[in-house]
Amino acid sequence: MYESRLLSLNLSIGMCLFWIVTYIFIIKRGFQDEHYGMPMVAICANISWEFIFTFIYPHNDFQRIITFSWFVLDLVIMWQYLIYGRKEFKNTMSTTLFYTSFLFTLATSFLVILVLSHELHDMQGIYAAFIQNLMMSGLFIGLFFARGSLAGQSMSIAVCNIV
C-alpha cells in the first residue's frame, strides 16, 4: 500500500513538473517567434479548468499550488494569444470578431467543464483533464499544419506535452 501511494505521488509530481516545463517552453518560444504557442481552444479550456480547480473546487494544498502555477503561466500564454494571434487572423476576421470569439470560447469552456464536473460527480476534474489532454494533442498538431511551420512551437514542447 505504501509503495503504491509513493509511486502515485512521484508520478503526480513528475506530471505536474512536465506541464510547468511545457508552459515555460511555450512562453519562451512565443516571445522568441512573436507567435502564440497554444491553440485558442486549449488556452480557454486550460484556464477554465485551472480557475475552477484552484478557486471553486480546490484540491489538496500541494495540488492547489501546482494548479495555481499552471493558471499563472496560462495567463501569460493567453496574453501571447491575444497579442500575437490577432496578426494571424487579420485577413480572415475583424478585431471585434477575434476578441469576441475568444471570450465566447472561454465562457463556453468554463461552463462545459463546470457542468461536466457536476454531471459526472468529479470535483477533482479528472475526466475534464483527460478530455482536455486528448483534445490538446490534436489541436497542437492542427496548429502546426494550419501554420505550415513550427512558429510558436518546438520539439521540446511536443515531448514535454506528451510525457
Side-chain angles (χ1 to χ4, degrees):
M1 182 68 149
Y2 173 76
E3 290 84 14
S4 66
R5 292 183 105 186
L6 186 60
L7 176 62
S8 177
L9 177 64
N10 286 333
L11 289 173
S12 293
I13 291 170
M15 183 268 312
C16 293
L17 292 176
F18 269 103
W19 273 111
I20 288 171
V21 169
T22 301
Y23 287 171
I24 291 169
F25 284 162
I26 290 170
I27 291 166
K28 180 178 179 274
R29 186 64 185 248
F31 283 128
Q32 284 175 340
D33 295 349
E34 294 185 357
H35 279 77
Y36 64 95
M38 186 180 289
M40 179 190 64
V41 174
I43 295 166
C44 292
N46 283 351
I47 284 183
S48 297
W49 189 95
E50 292 153 2
F51 183 88
I52 290 167
F53 295 104
T54 296
F55 301 109
I56 299 174
Y57 301 119
H59 296 135
N60 62 56
D61 289 340
F62 170 75
Q63 185 61 49
R64 189 174 188 184
I65 291 167
I66 294 296
T67 306
F68 181 73
S69 301
W70 293 339
F71 179 72
V72 170
L73 291 169
D74 264 330
L75 287 175
V76 177
I77 293 169
M78 178 186 75
W79 180 77
Q80 287 180 329
Y81 174 79
L82 295 173
I83 299 301
Y84 301 135
R86 178 65 198 112
K87 70 181 176 189
E88 280 190 40
F89 296 101
K90 71 178 177 183
N91 294 330
T92 58
M93 68 173 72
S94 69
T95 300
T96 303
L97 183 58
F98 174 78
Y99 292 113
T100 302
S101 65
F102 177 81
L103 290 174
F104 178 79
T105 304
L106 183 61
T108 301
S109 297
F110 185 85
L111 291 173
V112 165
I113 292 168
L114 205 56
V115 168
L116 183 69
S117 298
H118 278 277
E119 287 298 313
L120 298 177
H121 306 287
D122 179 27
M123 297 305 122
Q124 298 295 311
I126 294 169
Y127 293 117
F130 177 78
I131 292 167
Q132 280 176 241
N133 278 319
L134 183 61
M135 175 187 71
M136 283 177 58
S137 296
L139 290 172
F140 273 95
I141 293 168
L143 182 61
F144 168 75
F145 283 117
R147 280 189 180 145
S149 75
L150 279 175
Q153 298 184 9
S154 69
M155 189 57 73
S156 302
I157 294 168
V159 168
C160 288
N161 194 4
I162 61 171
V163 173

